[in-house]
Amino acid sequence: MTRWSFSSTGDEVVSAFKDRVQGKTVLITGPSTGGIGAQTALTISTGLPSHMILTGRSLPKIQPIITAINTAHPSIKTTFIPLDLASQSSVRTAAKEIDVLVENIDIFICNAAIMACPFSKSEDGIESQFATNHVGHFLLVNLLRRKLGGSGTRVVVVGSSAHGLGAVRFEDWNFEDGKSYNEWEAYGQSKTANMLFAKALARKLEKSGGFAFSLNPGSIRSNLQVHMLSNEAILTDALARAVASEAKEGRVFVRSPQKTLEQGCATTLIAALDPELEGFSGEYLDDGDVSKVKVRGYATSLENQEKLWKLSEELVGEKFEW
């Protein structure tokens, strides 16, 4: 379908679609130094968007990225917006700041995430991975929905192949208040939610000519893996669960080779820019293309899309009309 593959780099993608970046407004959540979000921001900046909005909990973690962009491309306006996705009050404050800052958002990349962390709940009482990886992004995108009405707008939700480790627990997203918690099931739940959210968004954006995608960036050594790399048992558990999950699908688990950060940001940028994907809005991408592996039904079904949307509205205490 697309021209891209496992080894494609973000630079190659932006070079191919510079005309689709130049002059645009781009928002990226969580582009902290050393992660694929930072590499995504640095790479897309070479296409000379007019305005880049970078959000995160800590300015010192993102300032090096802003400095690098300003140094290399002084024509680009860069704005840092403080945002803690685990805090709905922080999300609402950030959305208000962004709302007055821009007329529209052309490319909205939901990149920020946490992975395989010990059980905790957000200040709103939601399991932390679900709160950060899904609910915070759900709220932010919906609060800024009036900025996403332009034809060709793209919302990109960075997911993971780890969606295979857990469906959304619609009746018990907090794992019995932690009693039955497993860090990988919780991460899987949040990544499944990313896919369902992107599918639902694709349907809502269709009327205005916009698109949404979720994706697996690949296995990349980054700051996302802090908990996994500090405890070998967590990695061992992840691999065992992946083997079992693939076996249920009648497949043999093969651990993917690692990608560089330059390769790791490529699928995000393909989702944001490649016109060949316009007929596939809502799809889950892998290695720069619509996934060739059949994804889990629980991560794609219309029933689950609607159940998740309803649950998410309940968790944020607001309904959204598109």
Side-chain angles (χ1 to χ4, degrees), residues 20 24 104-106 147-154 205-211 278:
R20 300 175 72 86
K24 303 294 188 184
N104 62 283
I105 300 168
D106 300 294
K147 305 295 181 178
L148 301 172
S151 178
T153 295
R154 297 216 183 180
L205 288 166
E206 185 176 11
K207 66 184 77 169
S208 62
F211 308 92
E278 289 182 356

Side-chain angles (χ1 to χ4, degrees), residues 4-16 39 43 259-270:
W4 312 106
S5 66
F6 172 96
S7 57
S8 297
T9 66
D11 283 330
E12 292 170 343
V13 177
V14 173
S15 292
Q39 193 64 46
T43 305
K259 292 184 177 184
T260 64
L261 284 171
E262 290 79 7
Q263 293 168 332
C265 73
T267 302
T268 298
L269 291 166
I270 291 160

Side-chain angles (χ1 to χ4, degrees), residues 125-189:
I126 304 166
E127 186 277 315
S128 60
Q129 295 189 79
F130 195 53
T132 301
N133 299 353
H134 168 64
V135 177
H137 281 126
F138 174 86
L139 181 57
L140 184 65
V141 170
N142 274 287
L143 291 173
L144 293 171
R145 66 195 182 281
R146 302 300 176 219
K147 305 295 181 178
L148 301 172
S151 178
T153 295
R154 297 216 183 180
V155 179
V156 179
V157 188
V158 179
S160 170
S161 60
H163 72 272
L165 301 182
V168 175
R169 299 162 60 108
F170 291 106
E171 308 303 324
D172 180 30
W173 53 91
N174 277 357
F175 294 83
E176 300 177 281
D177 207 35
K179 295 184 187 70
S180 58
Y181 181 76
N182 173 272
E183 51 269 278
W184 289 115
E185 286 185 38
Y187 185 62
Q189 169 176 250

Side-chain angles (χ1 to χ4, degrees), residues 88 92 122 124-127 130-131 134-136 138-139 168-170 173-174 308-318 320:
Q88 292 179 26
R92 291 181 181 280
S122 71
D124 305 293
I126 304 166
E127 186 277 315
F130 195 53
H134 168 64
V135 177
F138 174 86
L139 181 57
V168 175
R169 299 162 60 108
F170 291 106
W173 53 91
N174 277 357
L308 179 66
W309 196 277
K310 182 173 183 291
L311 171 62
S312 303
E313 287 184 328
E314 290 170 357
L315 290 174
V316 303
E318 186 172 353
F320 300 101

Side-chain angles (χ1 to χ4, degrees), residues 158-315:
V158 179
S160 170
S161 60
H163 72 272
L165 301 182
V168 175
R169 299 162 60 108
F170 291 106
E171 308 303 324
D172 180 30
W173 53 91
N174 277 357
F175 294 83
E176 300 177 281
D177 207 35
K179 295 184 187 70
S180 58
Y181 181 76
N182 173 272
E183 51 269 278
W184 289 115
E185 286 185 38
Y187 185 62
Q189 169 176 250
S190 73
K191 296 290 105 177
T192 292
N194 290 159
M195 294 171 66
L196 291 168
F197 180 43
K199 277 200 161 292
L201 274 178
R203 291 187 289 114
K204 294 182 184 299
L205 288 166
E206 185 176 11
K207 66 184 77 169
S208 62
F211 308 92
F213 301 93
S214 63
L215 64 101
N216 172 35
S219 176
I220 303 120
R221 181 66 67 95
S222 73
N223 50 15
L224 181 65
Q225 299 173 332
V226 58
H227 295 289
M228 186 177 77
L229 295 175
S230 65
N231 186 337
E232 193 172 325
I234 294 178
L235 175 58
T236 301
D237 183 38
L239 294 174
R241 288 173 179 273
V243 169
S245 174
E246 285 297 278
K248 280 184 185 176
E249 300 294 313
R251 300 190 292 254
V252 176
F253 172 69
V254 178
R255 192 175 179 186
S256 298
Q258 285 202 322
K259 292 184 177 184
T260 64
L261 284 171
E262 290 79 7
Q263 293 168 332
C265 73
T267 302
T268 298
L269 291 166
I270 291 160
L273 301 173
D274 194 334
E276 290 186 34
L277 291 172
E278 289 182 356
F280 301 91
S281 190
E283 293 294 338
Y284 168 75
L285 311 183
D286 194 10
D287 287 341
D289 208 340
V290 175
S291 178
K292 295 175 174 63
V293 177
K294 188 174 185 297
V295 296
R296 310 306 193 274
Y298 62 66
T300 60
S301 75
L302 180 59
E303 178 187 1
N304 281 358
Q305 291 173 46
E306 293 176 344
K307 283 172 70 175
L308 179 66
W309 196 277
K310 182 173 183 291
L311 171 62
S312 303
E313 287 184 328
E314 290 170 357
L315 290 174

